[in-house]
Amino acid sequence: MRLTCHCGAIELEVELSEGLATARRCDCCYCRRRGAIMATVPLDKLRVVRAADRLSLYQWGSCTAKHYFCPTCGIYTHHRRRSDPNEYGVNVGALESVNPRDLGEVPWSDGVNHPSDRP
Ligand SMILES: [Zn+2]
């Protein structure tokens, strides 16, 4: 599937591990601000087709997770997970053939209680 940021500078080709069955929201202190619905992609099933050198990286806390976004339009494209570094999470809203509204209610991950966030 094709995944693009809003301005079109960044383009990814991804293969979702179980289609949209893995779609989740997350209530950790970062994801609750970002507000995106995310789906799982195995590490070897994500390819940055355009502008890999332009992707911006944001890291915080334990710096295990790597959050990528377009520096021009600000849209989050994907991140390497903290909970499982063998997976990427990708922005379902940036998948070209998907309207996130069609997903209905999306389950929440318990990000706020992740062990790495505890003091
Ligand atoms: Zn962009």
Side-chain angles (χ1 to χ4, degrees), residues 5-10 70-75:
C5 70
H6 189 261
C7 72
I10 313 292
C70 173
T72 302
C73 64
I75 298 300

PDB file of all heavy atoms in Angstrom, residues 5-10 70-75, ligand 1:
ATOM      1  N   CYS A   5       2.721  11.614   2.935  1.00  0.00           N
ATOM      2  CA  CYS A   5       2.434  12.747   3.802  1.00  0.00           C
ATOM      3  C   CYS A   5       1.490  13.686   3.056  1.00  0.00           C
ATOM      4  O   CYS A   5       1.081  13.404   1.934  1.00  0.00           O
ATOM      5  CB  CYS A   5       3.735  13.458   4.211  1.00  0.00           C
ATOM      6  SG  CYS A   5       4.540  14.334   2.857  1.00  0.00           S
ATOM      7  N   HIS A   6       1.142  14.808   3.638  1.00  0.00           N
ATOM      8  CA  HIS A   6       0.153  15.677   2.987  1.00  0.00           C
ATOM      9  C   HIS A   6       0.708  16.435   1.790  1.00  0.00           C
ATOM     10  O   HIS A   6       0.051  16.548   0.757  1.00  0.00           O
ATOM     11  CB  HIS A   6      -0.432  16.665   4.002  1.00  0.00           C
ATOM     12  CG  HIS A   6      -1.589  17.425   3.458  1.00  0.00           C
ATOM     13  ND1 HIS A   6      -1.472  18.699   2.973  1.00  0.00           N
ATOM     14  CD2 HIS A   6      -2.875  17.052   3.282  1.00  0.00           C
ATOM     15  CE1 HIS A   6      -2.655  19.094   2.523  1.00  0.00           C
ATOM     16  NE2 HIS A   6      -3.523  18.110   2.710  1.00  0.00           N
ATOM     17  N   CYS A   7       1.936  16.934   1.901  1.00  0.00           N
ATOM     18  CA  CYS A   7       2.487  17.748   0.807  1.00  0.00           C
ATOM     19  C   CYS A   7       3.067  16.880  -0.305  1.00  0.00           C
ATOM     20  O   CYS A   7       3.392  17.385  -1.374  1.00  0.00           O
ATOM     21  CB  CYS A   7       3.544  18.707   1.344  1.00  0.00           C
ATOM     22  SG  CYS A   7       5.096  17.927   1.817  1.00  0.00           S
ATOM     23  N   GLY A   8       3.217  15.584  -0.059  1.00  0.00           N
ATOM     24  CA  GLY A   8       3.688  14.675  -1.099  1.00  0.00           C
ATOM     25  C   GLY A   8       5.193  14.503  -1.149  1.00  0.00           C
ATOM     26  O   GLY A   8       5.713  13.771  -1.989  1.00  0.00           O
ATOM     27  N   ALA A   9       5.919  15.164  -0.235  1.00  0.00           N
ATOM     28  CA  ALA A   9       7.378  15.040  -0.234  1.00  0.00           C
ATOM     29  C   ALA A   9       7.814  13.629   0.147  1.00  0.00           C
ATOM     30  O   ALA A   9       8.805  13.118  -0.369  1.00  0.00           O
ATOM     31  CB  ALA A   9       7.991  16.051   0.726  1.00  0.00           C
ATOM     32  N   ILE A  10       7.070  13.005   1.059  1.00  0.00           N
ATOM     33  CA  ILE A  10       7.434  11.689   1.576  1.00  0.00           C
ATOM     34  C   ILE A  10       6.464  10.643   1.049  1.00  0.00           C
ATOM     35  O   ILE A  10       5.241  10.839   1.094  1.00  0.00           O
ATOM     36  CB  ILE A  10       7.375  11.655   3.126  1.00  0.00           C
ATOM     37  CG1 ILE A  10       8.085  12.865   3.746  1.00  0.00           C
ATOM     38  CG2 ILE A  10       7.928  10.338   3.655  1.00  0.00           C
ATOM     39  CD1 ILE A  10       9.560  12.915   3.570  1.00  0.00           C
ATOM     40  N   CYS A  70       7.086  14.391   8.307  1.00  0.00           N
ATOM     41  CA  CYS A  70       7.530  15.266   7.217  1.00  0.00           C
ATOM     42  C   CYS A  70       7.831  16.656   7.770  1.00  0.00           C
ATOM     43  O   CYS A  70       6.976  17.259   8.417  1.00  0.00           O
ATOM     44  CB  CYS A  70       6.451  15.352   6.136  1.00  0.00           C
ATOM     45  SG  CYS A  70       6.842  16.583   4.854  1.00  0.00           S
ATOM     46  N   PRO A  71       9.029  17.190   7.534  1.00  0.00           N
ATOM     47  CA  PRO A  71       9.379  18.500   8.077  1.00  0.00           C
ATOM     48  C   PRO A  71       8.626  19.640   7.391  1.00  0.00           C
ATOM     49  O   PRO A  71       8.562  20.744   7.925  1.00  0.00           O
ATOM     50  CB  PRO A  71      10.882  18.613   7.798  1.00  0.00           C
ATOM     51  CG  PRO A  71      11.118  17.710   6.642  1.00  0.00           C
ATOM     52  CD  PRO A  71      10.115  16.602   6.748  1.00  0.00           C
ATOM     53  N   THR A  72       8.059  19.384   6.226  1.00  0.00           N
ATOM     54  CA  THR A  72       7.357  20.451   5.507  1.00  0.00           C
ATOM     55  C   THR A  72       5.907  20.565   5.961  1.00  0.00           C
ATOM     56  O   THR A  72       5.459  21.620   6.382  1.00  0.00           O
ATOM     57  CB  THR A  72       7.406  20.195   3.987  1.00  0.00           C
ATOM     58  OG1 THR A  72       8.772  20.107   3.595  1.00  0.00           O
ATOM     59  CG2 THR A  72       6.715  21.317   3.224  1.00  0.00           C
ATOM     60  N   CYS A  73       5.168  19.460   5.903  1.00  0.00           N
ATOM     61  CA  CYS A  73       3.735  19.553   6.248  1.00  0.00           C
ATOM     62  C   CYS A  73       3.452  19.036   7.649  1.00  0.00           C
ATOM     63  O   CYS A  73       2.333  19.171   8.145  1.00  0.00           O
ATOM     64  CB  CYS A  73       2.886  18.809   5.214  1.00  0.00           C
ATOM     65  SG  CYS A  73       3.172  17.031   5.150  1.00  0.00           S
ATOM     66  N   GLY A  74       4.440  18.446   8.319  1.00  0.00           N
ATOM     67  CA  GLY A  74       4.279  18.047   9.708  1.00  0.00           C
ATOM     68  C   GLY A  74       3.565  16.729   9.927  1.00  0.00           C
ATOM     69  O   GLY A  74       3.339  16.339  11.082  1.00  0.00           O
ATOM     70  N   ILE A  75       3.195  16.048   8.847  1.00  0.00           N
ATOM     71  CA  ILE A  75       2.412  14.822   9.007  1.00  0.00           C
ATOM     72  C   ILE A  75       3.283  13.649   9.441  1.00  0.00           C
ATOM     73  O   ILE A  75       4.339  13.381   8.866  1.00  0.00           O
ATOM     74  CB  ILE A  75       1.682  14.473   7.687  1.00  0.00           C
ATOM     75  CG1 ILE A  75       0.689  15.567   7.305  1.00  0.00           C
ATOM     76  CG2 ILE A  75       0.981  13.109   7.784  1.00  0.00           C
ATOM     77  CD1 ILE A  75      -0.408  15.821   8.330  1.00  0.00           C
TER      78      ILE A  75
HETATM   79 ZN    ZN B   1       4.896  16.570   3.653  1.00  0.00          ZN
END
